[in-house]
Amino acid sequence: MKLTTTTTTTLVLLFLLVASSSLQVSMAGSAFCDSKCQVRCSKASRHDDCLRYCGVCCTKCHCVPSGTAGNKDECPCYRDMTTGTGDHKRPKCP
């Protein structure tokens, strides 16, 4: 089967269109994480930062502790995620 230049170009463009659509979907937050993080960060003084880190943690751990603070034992993965190493190690998830 011999593909013409037009057919090959069309297939490449179609592939790029499908690939870019799936990339946008995978970068968007899930409804579960978005709603849980909205509650978790509702009283945070740095709301945008809280939402960003909560979203990262939720995506990785598939859970967010209840309430606006504390309760991290409900989700050990979320509780144990940290930034940095050694003396600079701090909790990552709000």
Side-chain angles (χ1 to χ4, degrees), residues 54-71:
C54 180
V56 168
C57 296
C58 178
T59 300
K60 185 170 182 177
C61 298
H62 307 292
C63 63
V64 174
S66 62
T68 56
N71 304 321

Side-chain angles (χ1 to χ4, degrees), residues 9-10 16 54 57 64 82 88:
T9 304
T10 304
L16 291 173
C54 180
C57 296
V64 174
T82 59
H88 300 290

